[in-house]
Amino acid sequence: MNTTKIRTLFIMLLALAVSNVLSAQEEFPKPGKMKPDMSEFWLPQPEIVTPGAITSDEPVPAPSDALVLFDGKDLSAWKSSREGEAKWIVSDGVFTVKKGTGDIETKEHFNDFQLHLEWKVPAGITGSSQARGNSGVFLQGIYEVQVLDNYGNKTYANGQAGSIYKQSAPLVNAMEKPGKWNVYDIIYKAPTFKSNGTYNTYPYVTVIHNGVVVQNNTRINGTTPYIGFPQVEVHGAGPIRLQDHGDPSEAISYRNIWIRGL
Ligand code: MG
């Protein structure tokens, strides 16, 4: 083989190697378009548990070291998640979602915490599945613990009240009926991150609904989107954010919200 042929063969082999590398880079599949129901799991439906006497018509008093986020008077600890003041309606010691004004969130940001809040859907509420008293409590402004009327209202299990939305169904369904107050006690451990943007330690959450554990130190795998699967977003301390879901049924009310940093 003369020098020219060797050079030609070398160039051909080099070109083949380069094309193999390029085609290998192109082998990653392009994900298909996600639809909402791809992340909705209906079975098993959480067993229904009637909560005990812990719930009453009286608010649960805050401990002496708690930071009170709503004491029945005003939304001074809150702001709109869009801009400006929180526009939800305060009346008779409770506040109610004002549909279309957007989410509200605490002005203060938190890391690990114990959060207490009480919520209620009105008696005679209408609608079904997710369109019936839908709101939500976003931990550090990112991870949604679902608020929804699931008293006699079926929806996908990982979207029920007390779920980590589209991730973890509640262990049981401990709903109070419409017109009665529901109580959430949420214990949250914030995540830490690696320099490459993945979790070093995941966020974990325990949720107690009307005195019944519905999330038991559950690992949160990332964001809680309506469409798609959890994504990891690097973040620091964040607010408590409450959702204006905008569903057609009557609005959700909240009262007696307090938090203890841990
Ligand atoms: Mg919601």
Side-chain angles (χ1 to χ4, degrees):
M1 206 180 291
N2 62 30
T3 310
T4 308
K5 280 185 176 166
I6 289 172
R7 188 178 294 144
T8 306
L9 186 62
F10 176 75
I11 289 169
M12 284 171 66
L13 286 171
L14 188 65
L16 186 65
V18 168
S19 74
N20 278 343
V21 168
L22 286 176
S23 65
Q25 283 177 347
E26 289 164 2
E27 272 174 16
F28 293 111
K30 299 221 176 355
K33 189 167 164 43
M34 287 292 299
K35 294 179 183 165
D37 63 0
M38 290 177 175
S39 52
E40 294 166 5
F41 299 95
W42 287 76
L43 293 173
Q45 284 280 305
E47 181 187 339
I48 292 171
V49 169
T50 304
I54 192 169
T55 56
S56 76
D57 285 337
E58 294 304 312
V60 178
S64 61
D65 66 347
L67 172 66
V68 176
L69 296 171
F70 180 69
D71 65 359
K73 294 191 182 76
D74 59 52
L75 289 172
S76 56
W78 302 78
K79 65 187 185 73
S80 170
S81 298
R82 294 174 180 169
E83 63 173 359
E85 294 300 304
K87 298 178 184 68
W88 294 11
I89 300 156
V90 181
S91 175
D92 290 335
V94 311
F95 67 84
T96 302
V97 180
K98 187 174 181 185
K99 198 164 67 174
T101 62
D103 297 356
I104 66 169
E105 63 187 49
T106 55
K107 293 174 181 171
E108 193 154 328
H109 286 196
F110 306 96
N111 283 301
D112 302 350
F113 57 77
Q114 172 189 352
L115 172 70
H116 174 97
L117 60 81
E118 303 176 21
W119 56 274
K120 181 170 78 170
V121 299
I125 191 167
T126 56
S128 62
S129 191
Q130 293 287 303
R132 179 154 143 172
N134 194 331
S135 183
V137 182
F138 285 82
L139 314 175
Q140 294 195 299
I142 292 177
Y143 311 112
E144 182 180 9
V145 177
Q146 177 69 301
V147 168
L148 188 72
D149 176 28
N150 283 118
Y151 192 89
N153 174 37
K154 282 194 168 52
T155 190
Y156 42 93
N158 60 346
Q160 282 200 5
S163 67
I164 310 308
Y165 185 66
K166 293 275 182 110
Q167 290 190 31
S168 175
L171 293 168
V172 294
N173 176 345
M175 283 294 303
E176 282 283 11
K177 63 176 69 170
K180 295 201 76 174
W181 286 97
N182 283 273
V183 179
Y184 274 177
D185 287 288
I186 298 173
I187 299 105
Y188 174 75
K189 176 81 176 158
T192 59
F193 295 90
K194 297 177 184 172
S195 57
N196 67 2
T198 60
Y199 287 126
N200 180 42
T201 56
Y202 284 77
Y204 281 84
V205 69
T206 293
V207 179
I208 302 169
H209 184 188
N210 296 332
V212 179
V213 173
V214 293
Q215 299 290 341
N216 181 11
N217 199 31
T218 300
R219 192 179 92 173
I220 299 174
N221 293 318
T223 56
T224 52
Y226 173 52
I227 298 172
F229 290 110
Q231 305 291 318
V232 181
E233 284 178 11
V234 177
H235 63 86
I240 304 301
R241 178 159 65 88
L242 301 178
Q243 185 182 41
D244 168 17
H245 188 266
D247 60 281
S249 55
E250 294 93 328
I252 295 273
S253 295
Y254 289 91
R255 73 173 183 185
N256 192 30
I257 307 178
W258 50 260
I259 194 166
R260 297 177 65 247
L262 297 174

